[in-house]
Amino acid sequence: SQNALINYYNRNASSEMTNATFAKSYAAAVGSALAVAFGLATLIQRRYSPAQAKNLLKWVAFPSAVVASSLNCYIVRSPEIDSGVPLVNSNGDDVLP
């Protein structure tokens, strides 16, 4: 959830972002993090001995956070990717039409 706010406030302010897009990016980030965390934890517990699994489960949070961050960033930035961002000079005039 912190990452969703960081991506929101670091977006290009000239690009409009609806509350629906913000909610979608938040839900996708949380859902993907949970899916990766539960999936990896289940895989580790089934495949490794309890002692090995205990050591490996410490590292499950990292890939979960990476996937959530990447997906959230893509959804927040997708309007900029689709329509581009305005390029202006120091006077605020459009450089490219």
Side-chain angles (χ1 to χ4, degrees):
S1 59
Q2 173 192 2
N3 187 33
L5 288 173
I6 290 170
N7 284 334
Y8 175 79
Y9 283 108
N10 283 336
R11 77 192 190 291
N12 183 359
S14 64
S15 298
E16 292 295 322
M17 185 169 147
T18 65
N19 288 339
T21 302
F22 181 70
K24 181 171 71 170
S25 69
Y26 178 79
V30 170
S32 65
L34 289 172
V36 170
F38 286 127
L40 278 176
T42 301
L43 178 73
I44 289 169
Q45 289 171 348
R46 287 183 182 173
R47 191 156 186 193
Y48 296 97
S49 70
Q52 289 176 317
K54 183 179 177 183
N55 288 330
L56 290 172
L57 287 173
K58 296 175 188 175
W59 303 101
V60 168
F62 180 71
S64 300
V66 169
V67 169
S69 175
S70 301
L71 186 59
N72 181 268
C73 188
Y74 175 75
I75 293 172
V76 168
R77 301 287 181 157
S78 63
E80 297 170 18
I81 294 169
D82 293 339
S83 63
V85 293
L87 181 62
V88 296
N89 61 17
S90 59
N91 298 327
D93 300 326
D94 286 335
V95 175
L96 297 172

